[in-house]
Structure formats: C-alpha cells, structure tokens
Amino acid sequence: MRIVPIIDVTTQVVSAPLHTPFVTALRRTTTTDTVVVTVTDSDGHRGYGEAPQVWQVTGESLAGARACIDGPLRAAIIDRDPDDLQELLRAVRGAAVANHGAKGAVDVALHDLAARRAGLPLARYLGGAATTVRTDVTLSVDEPDRLATAARTRVADGFDVLKIKVGTDPVGDVARVAAIRAAVGPDVQIRLDANQGWTPRQAVRAIRAMEDSGAGIELVEQPVAGHDIAGLAHVTAHVDTPTLADEAVYGVRDLLAVIQQRAADMVNVKLAKSAGLGPARTLLELAAAAGIGTMVGSMMETHVGLGAAASLVAAYGTTAVSDLDAAWWISDTPVVGGIRYDGATVHLPDAPGLGIDGVVDRPAITEP
C-alpha cells in the first residue's frame, strides 16, 4: 500500500473581531485570538485545527501554543502516515506535558485530514449522520435593563436557550436573571455560567434565591473555583438546580474525581481543555457510563474549532443543548468554508472533513 506521509505542519496567528464585546466574570474581549495549525500530506490534503488564547482559563498563550506545535508536536507527526490516526494521537499526547490547547489543535487537524482523505464529513467520519446541531447563545455580563433588551433581541434572532454570564455579584446576579426571565417569558430556557465567580456559600444563596423566585433555571455552570471540587459538591448537594462542571474538568482524572465525589450533575466537554477530539470522546463516554449529563462547549474560537465541536455533537450527542455559539460572535471570519449559523441551528458542511477551504492570514493585534 502506498503511504502518503505528512510533509508539513504550519501555524498562523489570526485575530477576528466580534460584533459585540464578550464579557464574563473573568475577562472582557472584543476579538477572538487563536493559533491555526495546518497539517498537509504529500497529496496536498490539508487538515485544520486551532488553539485559542484564553489566559484566564487554560493559561495558554498564542506564543506558547505556537512554540509547542512548531516544536515537539510537529516532530511527533512529521513524515508519518496520516491514516495511522490512533498512533499519531498517542504520539501527540506524549510529546509534551499539559499544553491542552496546542495538543487539541493538532488532534483536530489530524482528524480533519483523515476525514478529508476518506472523503467524509468529519461528523460522519466520527460515526454520526446528523448535519445540524442546536446551540445556545450567551449574554455577556451587564446591567439588568440592558440584559433584558439583549435577551429579547437574541430570542428574535432565533435562539431559545440563553446562557447568562453571572458570577460578579451574587445579589446583582439574582436581579439580572429576574429581569431576563421577565423579558423573555416562560418558554425560553435560561442557564447560568458563573465562570468560577462565586464562593460555595454565595453560590448556594444565589441559586436558592433564584429557585425561590421561580426563575426557572435549567442549570448553573461552574459556580465555584475549578480546583474546589469539595466546594462544587457542597453547592450540588444544597440546591435543586443541576450543576455543570466546566473548569473543574480537563481530563479523565478530573471527571473521575467529580463522579466519585458527586460534585456535579453534568460536565461541559471542550476540545481546548481536553486536548482534542480523541480525549473528548472518552470524556463523553465516561460521563454517559456514570449517568451524568453532558454538553459540548468551546472557548472563543473560530469556525475551525467550532466546526470540530459541532461535529463531535453530531456524532455523539449530548443530554443538553450544547454551547457552540462562539464563532457566531465573529463579525468578519478569517475562515473560508466550514459551519454556518441560522439562529440556534449550526449547519455542518456537506464536504470532506471540516469543509474548510482555507484561513486568511490575519495576525492578532498583539501577540504575547
């Protein structure tokens, strides 16, 4: 059999403007800044992946991700057979400690390349047949009146699951959620993401207040610090609203700790945390086996990362509507091809791999 080896691994830093500032308890940004990796075989097929910069969550920078990809990760896969996917993924995982975003970018690029070589969309290559998936949409941290207006706008845009960023002020957060519920009525789902912003005691008080008010909250994501598994378990045990672990879970050991301590009811799986599609699939299967709920989310990423995340959902499914709106925030995408948004529906391309034809070279304004 003729082997068509990987002959090149390249990176580029791109920055994409957002149509609306994205504000959480941890940060504020007006751009998506990321490293895009391209893996090329000797027949000219290309696979794409990306490593977003999210200082306050993963601690990984553009410069660090690029150095890791250009160095040990490139060395681990260059000149090797791209169809030997599992061996390549093992080589990537063993090539460096941590660097989850960089590893995730190469993992996705290898999956994209393999799917392109097979002539299959990535979701079908992963074993699924769905061509669309649903997403929520995020409302940034803001004052109650402006949040109410934004909520009505997003519902008019076609979204029926709103993710509200909280965690800056427990008392104010209760008022914000009440204003949003009054604005959108009872038929729109509201979920909260505190981004580690509360203490366990603050979280219990705030969530109970919302429960008592009849706000109808679907779930609360990462109410306490990611390292505080005991605190998360305390919140879960003292509220009725389901809790969702996000920053608390990067890999299998983290998820096992959450399961063993009954620390959360659900887990949010992200490719930039778990280091790619391979580990993410393991996390989804482990969660299902343990009987806890699932969703797939993302960092602020382009259509490259979101295409991979949406393909994962299309193939594996989740128990809750996933959080795949990050690329929807981009007003001028550098990605040619790939997924597209129609309200709350993410359409996957009917093309091999991620269906991406290229990425415009648009450097970040500031690169650490």
Side-chain angles (χ1 to χ4, degrees), residues 132-280:
T132 62
V133 296
R134 291 179 64 210
T135 182
D136 64 9
V137 70
T138 299
L139 299 185
S140 292
V141 170
D142 210 332
E143 294 305 310
D145 57 341
R146 289 194 287 269
L147 279 170
T149 299
R152 285 190 290 264
T153 300
R154 295 301 174 239
V155 171
D157 288 337
F159 294 96
D160 58 1
V161 182
L162 304 180
K163 178 177 177 178
I164 316 304
K165 291 292 188 180
V166 294
T168 56
D169 164 29
V171 175
D173 288 336
V174 175
R176 292 179 184 96
V177 172
I180 292 167
R181 176 54 76 196
V184 301
D187 297 329
V188 174
Q189 280 192 335
I190 293 177
R191 53 178 56 162
L192 308 182
D193 184 2
N195 283 116
Q196 313 178 70
W198 293 326
T199 67
R201 183 172 295 180
Q202 287 173 334
V204 170
R205 288 176 177 172
I207 296 167
R208 281 181 172 175
M210 293 178 204
E211 291 172 346
D212 292 343
S213 71
I217 304 304
E218 176 198 9
L219 59 88
V220 179
E221 183 173 355
Q222 201 59 53
V224 300
H227 63 81
D228 190 3
I229 300 301
L232 181 58
H234 174 83
V235 176
T236 300
H238 288 85
V239 301
D240 294 326
T241 304
T243 56
L244 173 71
D246 180 6
E247 288 91 345
V249 175
Y250 278 67
V252 169
R253 291 181 182 178
D254 301 326
L255 182 53
L256 283 173
V258 168
I259 293 168
Q260 290 165 354
Q261 297 184 43
R262 300 181 179 179
D265 302 294
M266 307 174 68
V267 62
N268 189 351
V269 176
K270 296 179 179 178
L271 303 183
K273 286 190 310 173
S274 65
L277 288 164

Side-chain angles (χ1 to χ4, degrees), residues 4-9 39-42 77-82 88 110 113:
V4 181
I6 293 169
I7 62 168
D8 204 5
V9 180
V39 178
T40 307
D41 70 16
S42 60
I77 65 173
I78 199 71
D79 295 328
R80 297 183 63 173
D81 183 355
L88 288 174
L110 290 170
L113 178 60

